[in-house]
Structures are given as structure tokens and as C-alpha cells.
Amino acid sequence: MLVEVFVVLEYMELKTNVGNYKRAVKRVDDGHRLCNDLMGCLQERAKIEKAYGDQLTAWSKRWRQLIEKGPQYGSVERAWLAVMTEAEKVSELHQDVKNNLLNEDVEKVKNWQKEAYHKQMIGGFKEAKEAEEGFKKAQKPWAKKLKEMEAAKKTYHMACKEERLAAAREANGKTEASVTPDQQKKLHEKVDKCKQDMQKAKEKYEKSLEELSKCTPQYMECMEQVFDQCQQHEVKRLTFLKEALLDIKRHLNLTENQSYVTVYRELERTIQAISTQEDLRWFSNNHGPGMPMNWPAFEEYNPDQAAAPPKKKKPDGAPPTPSTDHVAPPGDRSSVSSYDKNQAYSAEWSDDEQPTAYSGNENGGNRNSFEDDSSTGKGVRVRALYDYDGQEQDELTFKAGDEFTKTEDEDEQGWCRGRLDSGQEGLYPANYVEPI
């Protein structure tokens, strides 16, 4: 309602004031500028969407590595990693939002602006010039009559003023003894002349006003035609902006995107699949009472052997390899985190092992306690005496004569941890190498 009242008042002001059409003409320039403003607004939002997506991706990558290296295992680990997967998929959706804003919405506004506004060589827009010329042409005859009427009105008002002054002088002359009869006669004649002039000016003023009134209907019709043309151009702009904003809303509203809904449906399904009993059973079978035991057995003395009887195929002349009970059964390795895969546990289950407690202030809070720091420690250089082909994922493979670094001493089962010059870390039989 207020908008309609404003438009009516603007139109009435436009009709009754010569040259007041400039506001309607300026609306063309404002429309072109508002298109630029909308494109700038969308470009800024696109940058925000890209930055948010990049931050989600970086966050997901960092924490995925930390979780995979951490001690969490089983279905809870899978659910935790599913949160990282959610971040990666949501990041892709926000990158799609950015692309839609730039490639569709901004381009749509740019193309419409180019079609709706035509720049002139001398500056300004063709639509604004046509509107201004139309208003001038419609106002020209009426403006001429208006100017004549204003001049007649001014003349009439001046004549009224002169008549009042003359009448006042005549009245004063009658009361003053110094004024002679001839002077009083002249004052009276002056009053009569001013009354005649005033009457003539009044008639001319009334005539010019009547002529102006006769021109008014045609003037209003012409002005309305030009104004309607401006309104039609504005209708196109407002209609387009409504459609464009609806497209923008559709691109921004991820809740209406089926892919976005699927992301959280899958995340909830993974979290609901957490099984406490399954995880506890896995841990008991791999690191508790249910794990395979290497009970002590009687062994004959053999000076050529430094470990238990061989359980793996070995090269000719090589000593037997120690027991491989340091690894979980192949069927369970997919559930254990890389932190567990990289640790050498005793074959005998015991409560004597005391893991290092996590402290949020450790290392100044700049490093996650799950990260393996064995790769940064110093070791002892060793040389391989025999070829060894790793039988498990966490075992090294090397040839006789290869040199690498021992990072951990031999455990109770005869295994050492080492690092090849390529950076690979793993376990190897202690009796297959010698210190350099």
C-alpha cells in the first residue's frame, strides 16, 4: 500500500512540475548500477563458499590421518571417519554452490543487463535518453503555456500592489492639510488608472490560466504514455530480479538438495551401526585373553639357531624367522587402526603394559598424541645377512647386503623394528642382520 501511495505521489509531482521527470529517468541508471551490485554481491558469496569448502577439506584430511593413526578401532573408528567423509562431501556441495553462483547466476544477470541497457558513445544509456526526450516533448507545449500564465500572474499581482499603494496615498492626502485640491485630484486619477491596469492584468491572467487548463488533458495523456514506457522497463527489471533471486535461493538452499540429505542419512546409518560388543570382542581377540598365545615349549640346544623353529619359508642358509604372532589374523586387520598396525605387541597378554596418557598440553598443544613419532627417532645402522621377503603388511622386505636403520631393539619373539632408506618402516627378524 505504501509503495502504491509513493508511486502516485511521485507521478503527481512529475505531472505538475516541469522537469521533475528526472527522477524517473535516473531510475534507468540506477537499474544498471543495481545489476553490478548484485553481481558483486554474488561474487563475494562465491568466495565465502569456496573458502568454507577448502577449510572443510583441509580439516577432514588432517583429522582422517590422525584418526587412522590413533588407537580407536572397530565400528567407532568407522563412524568417526564417516564424519570426515561427511565434511568432504559437504565441501563438494559448497564448491558446487560457488560454481552455480558464478557460472549461472552471475552470468544470467550479466547477460540480462547487456540486453536491457544499451550504452551510448557519448555516455549514458539509450533507454534513459529516450525517456528524457519523451518527457521533454510531452511537456514542451504545456510548459510554454505555464510560463505565460506565470508571467500574467506576476503582472496581475504587481498591479494589485500598485493599486493598494495608490489608494493608501489618496487616503493620506485627504487627511493632510498641506495637500492641495489639484494634488488630491491627481492622486484620485492615479487610483483609477491602477484599478484599470489591475483589471486588465486580471483578465489576462485568467485567460492564460484558462488556456493552460485546456492544454492540461493532452499534456497529462502524453506524460502518462512516456511514464508508462518507463514503468514497463522497470517491470521487466523487477520481474527478472525476482526470478534471479529465486534461482539464487535454490542454489544456496542445500536442504533441498537430495545429495545433501543423502550425506547425513549415510552418516547416521554408520553411527547407528556402532556395536559395542563387536568392538570389545575384537579387542579381546587381538589384544586380550582371546589373542593367540605363544606358550613356552622345550627346545633342544642348537648353536646355529637363535630363535624358535622356522614357521616361514626362508632362503637357503638363512636362520629361521621368529613367530609371526605379532600381527592380527588377516580377517581382522581391516578393523584395526594404523596406530595398532604399527605397534609391536608382546605375544603374551598382560596388564603390565602402561600406555602413555594423552595430555592436551603435550608438545604445546600443537601435535596430536595419536601421531607416531618413531620415524623421528635415531637408530642403529644394520646390514642384511640374508634375503628376507616380508610375509605380512607390517614386515620389511630386503636383500642380503642391504643397509637400513634399526629403530627399536629386539623383542621377546626375536623381532626388531627398522626403517628402510626409502622411508618404509616395519618389522624384521633380528637374526637376519648384523650391526655395521
Side-chain angles (χ1 to χ4, degrees):
M1 183 64 182
L2 290 176
V3 174
E4 294 177 354
V5 171
F6 176 77
V7 172
V8 170
L9 291 175
E10 180 182 7
Y11 179 56
M12 293 299 296
E13 185 181 8
L14 179 145
K15 291 194 298 182
T16 56
N17 294 279
V18 176
N20 205 49
Y21 55 80
K22 295 186 182 298
R23 186 172 182 180
V25 174
K26 185 177 181 296
R27 192 168 56 174
V28 176
D29 297 328
D30 292 341
H32 184 274
R33 179 179 59 81
L34 289 171
C35 288
N36 291 334
D37 291 344
L38 179 57
M39 287 188 286
C41 175
L42 295 178
Q43 288 168 350
E44 286 189 17
R45 178 59 184 266
K47 289 181 181 179
I48 294 174
E49 295 290 335
K50 181 181 184 302
Y52 180 58
D54 292 342
Q55 289 177 350
L56 279 179
T57 300
W59 174 80
S60 172
K61 181 179 180 181
R62 175 175 177 269
W63 276 98
R64 181 179 292 278
Q65 294 175 349
L66 295 178
I67 294 168
E68 290 175 346
K69 291 182 179 179
Q72 187 57 61
Y73 55 90
S75 59
V76 173
E77 180 188 20
R78 290 193 293 273
W80 196 348
L81 290 173
V83 176
M84 305 303 110
T85 302
E86 173 270 343
E88 294 166 359
K89 292 182 178 180
V90 171
S91 172
E92 293 177 358
L93 291 175
H94 280 280
Q95 296 295 347
D96 290 341
V97 171
K98 182 263 295 184
N99 293 332
N100 289 333
L101 290 175
L102 293 179
N103 299 333
E104 294 187 24
D105 298 326
V106 171
E107 288 299 318
K108 184 177 181 180
V109 175
K110 183 186 296 183
N111 293 334
W112 185 88
Q113 181 192 47
K114 186 176 181 180
E115 294 175 359
Y117 300 96
H118 301 85
K119 290 186 177 181
Q120 298 184 114
M121 295 293 293
I122 58 176
F125 298 99
K126 177 183 176 182
E127 292 72 20
K129 183 179 180 181
E130 290 177 350
E132 185 173 14
E133 290 178 349
F135 281 123
K136 285 183 177 180
K137 184 177 180 180
Q139 279 191 343
K140 188 174 182 180
W142 190 83
K144 182 179 179 181
K145 295 293 183 180
L146 178 65
K147 186 176 180 181
E148 293 175 355
M149 186 273 295
E150 291 290 345
K153 181 176 71 172
K154 184 177 179 182
T155 302
Y156 169 67
H157 289 172
M158 290 294 296
C160 291
K161 182 179 179 181
E162 289 293 331
E163 189 273 336
R164 287 192 177 188
L165 289 174
R169 292 193 191 100
E170 181 184 17
N172 291 333
K174 291 179 179 180
T175 60
E176 292 181 5
S178 59
V179 178
T180 64
D182 291 338
Q183 290 177 335
Q184 289 181 358
K185 183 179 179 181
K186 289 181 179 180
L187 289 174
H188 180 72
E189 292 175 353
K190 178 67 174 177
V191 171
D192 290 341
K193 185 176 184 304
C194 287
K195 286 182 178 181
Q196 293 175 3
D197 293 342
M198 182 183 70
Q199 186 61 33
K200 291 180 180 179
K202 181 180 180 180
E203 292 174 359
K204 187 175 181 180
Y205 175 39
E206 290 175 344
K207 184 179 179 181
S208 63
L209 188 59
E210 182 181 355
E211 292 177 354
L212 180 65
S213 299
K214 290 180 180 179
C215 294
T216 299
Q218 184 179 1
Y219 161 70
M220 292 178 62
E221 182 181 354
C222 295
M223 290 293 288
E224 286 177 0
Q225 290 177 356
V226 180
F227 186 77
D228 287 342
Q229 292 175 1
C230 294
Q231 289 291 79
Q232 289 301 318
H233 190 273
E234 183 68 3
V235 166
K236 294 179 181 178
R237 187 184 74 88
L238 297 177
T239 303
F240 167 76
L241 285 181
K242 180 179 179 180
E243 296 175 356
L245 290 172
L246 285 174
D247 288 340
I248 294 168
K249 172 260 179 186
R250 179 170 55 84
H251 292 148
L252 294 177
N253 189 5
L254 292 179
T255 59
E256 296 181 357
N257 189 321
Q258 188 59 38
S259 299
Y260 187 79
V261 177
T262 303
V263 168
Y264 290 98
R265 185 182 298 121
E266 293 177 353
L267 176 60
E268 181 179 6
R269 186 184 301 118
T270 306
I271 295 174
Q272 293 291 355
I274 292 177
S275 173
T276 303
Q277 295 302 320
E278 178 185 341
D279 288 1
L280 293 177
R281 184 167 52 253
W282 178 89
F283 192 86
S284 177
N285 291 337
N286 288 274
H287 306 291
M291 68 182 294
M293 295 298 182
N294 185 22
W295 299 108
F298 179 80
E299 299 180 16
E300 289 290 350
Y301 171 73
N302 187 340
D304 296 331
Q305 293 184 348
K311 292 187 178 181
K312 298 182 180 179
K313 182 179 180 181
K314 61 183 185 300
D316 294 338
T321 57
S323 169
T324 60
D325 290 339
H326 64 282
V327 295
D332 292 333
R333 293 181 68 90
S334 61
S335 300
V336 67
S337 68
S338 59
Y339 175 90
D340 295 321
K341 294 178 184 179
N342 292 335
Q343 301 300 314
Y345 293 101
S346 171
E348 296 183 2
W349 176 72
S350 171
D351 289 335
D352 295 338
E353 298 181 20
Q354 300 295 331
T356 303
Y358 171 74
S359 170
N361 296 327
E362 185 177 352
N363 297 327
N366 295 327
R367 181 176 173 272
N368 190 288
S369 63
F370 297 164
E371 293 179 346
D372 185 7
D373 58 358
S374 61
S375 62
T376 61
K378 296 182 179 179
V380 178
R381 296 292 290 179
V382 295
R383 179 185 295 110
L385 298 174
Y386 313 98
D387 294 349
Y388 182 71
D389 194 11
Q391 302 298 306
E392 301 291 346
Q393 293 182 358
D394 59 353
E395 295 180 6
L396 298 178
T397 298
F398 49 78
K399 300 291 185 181
D402 289 352
E403 296 181 1
F404 54 93
T405 302
K406 180 178 73 172
T407 59
E408 292 184 12
D409 293 333
E410 180 180 354
D411 61 16
E412 297 177 356
Q413 299 181 47
W415 292 91
C416 290
R417 178 173 291 278
R419 182 174 64 252
L420 301 179
D421 293 344
S422 64
Q424 179 185 358
E425 290 196 24
L427 302 174
Y428 65 89
N431 53 3
Y432 271 53
V433 301
E434 63 178 0
I436 300 177

